[in-house]
Amino acid sequence: MAHLLYEVKDGIGWIRFNRPEVLNAFDPPEVRRLVEVLQEAADDPEVKAIIIGSVGKAFSAGDDLKVAMEEYPQIKSGEIHPILDIVEDITENLQEIPRIIRKARKVVISCVRGHAVGAGFEVAIDSDLVVAAESAIFGFPESNAGMTITGGASQLLPLIVGLNKARELVLTGEFIDAAEGYRIGLVNKLVKDGEEEAAAEELARRIMSRAPLATVAHKRMLQRGVDSDFESALELEKQTITNLIYTEDYGEAISAFAEKRPPKFKGR
């Protein structure tokens, strides 16, 4: 069951992740629901801006590894097809998020507190703007879980922070705090904890006060100015994940998580 919250208030569509007991980690139903709600908000003429936030102390801890841990034995036994049941489910839904945001004729702002890692980090950088509380933490732990990034991050992250910094974040898997995120241009506005939603709303309403057609035109112009075959980047992400699901290292990462020990990767 998806727990996502959605409400429209004074022209703003508020989307909030609501699985605080698992730091708002994503399972397949939650990602599917996020896609549905994002599209609903993007299509609603009463919604002039969209803010993505969360309930609890984290934005999102990314993919729910407990779900992956339960699925892996079924993958090995053939009960679950790794492509049809995983790559063409959660991965394609994660990739649909930036497509919707890029096409939306309104600004989309992520409002981050606590951890925004893995798929949670992807949603943040998919957004047009990021407001972060001082407690925000960003990172891609995929390299320590035998997996790779998706959600358009392979193209969007270098555009935001530069290629070398993107390499560092992705290849090391190390996390950065909100202050560093602000320094490198990942975060647009940095505020004290507890002020992030108000700051995101203030930013949204400032943009909403501008000429709507000009806002849409500027959004489109900026995207087209930096794009180079975005769909090819998404396809490469999916193919990479498809290949990695069959590796020993992915299985080792899941086993190590279940056994609460450091993984021992073999590069195969």
Side-chain angles (χ1 to χ4, degrees), residues 64-80:
D64 192 336
L65 287 183
K66 291 183 179 179
V67 174
M69 182 177 66
E70 294 168 357
E71 289 176 339
Y72 190 69
Q74 296 173 290
I75 293 174
K76 294 189 70 174
S77 69
E79 185 178 347
I80 287 180

Side-chain angles (χ1 to χ4, degrees), residues 136-215:
I137 300 290
F138 301 93
F140 284 120
E142 281 84 347
S143 60
N144 200 39
M147 194 42 64
T148 50
I149 58 177
T150 185
S154 61
Q155 188 176 56
L156 295 174
L157 185 64
L159 287 174
I160 295 169
V161 303
L163 180 56
N164 272 359
K165 192 63 182 181
R167 285 175 176 147
E168 179 184 340
L169 289 170
V170 172
L171 296 177
T172 67
E174 293 175 352
F175 294 175
I176 59 171
D177 60 20
E180 175 67 1
Y182 183 73
R183 187 188 72 81
I184 64 176
L186 175 71
V187 172
N188 297 95
K189 192 171 182 63
L190 179 61
V191 298
K192 294 181 180 179
D193 281 35
E195 298 179 3
E196 61 277 0
E197 287 201 354
E201 180 172 356
E202 190 278 331
L203 182 58
R205 295 202 181 281
R206 198 187 326 160
I207 295 169
M208 289 163 63
S209 72
R210 300 330 191 224
L213 292 179
T215 296

Side-chain angles (χ1 to χ4, degrees), residues 94-103 126 151-152 156 230:
L94 284 170
Q95 292 186 337
E96 193 63 21
I97 293 167
R99 289 192 182 106
I100 295 171
I101 291 173
R102 288 160 68 86
K103 293 175 183 176
D126 289 341
L156 295 174
F230 186 72

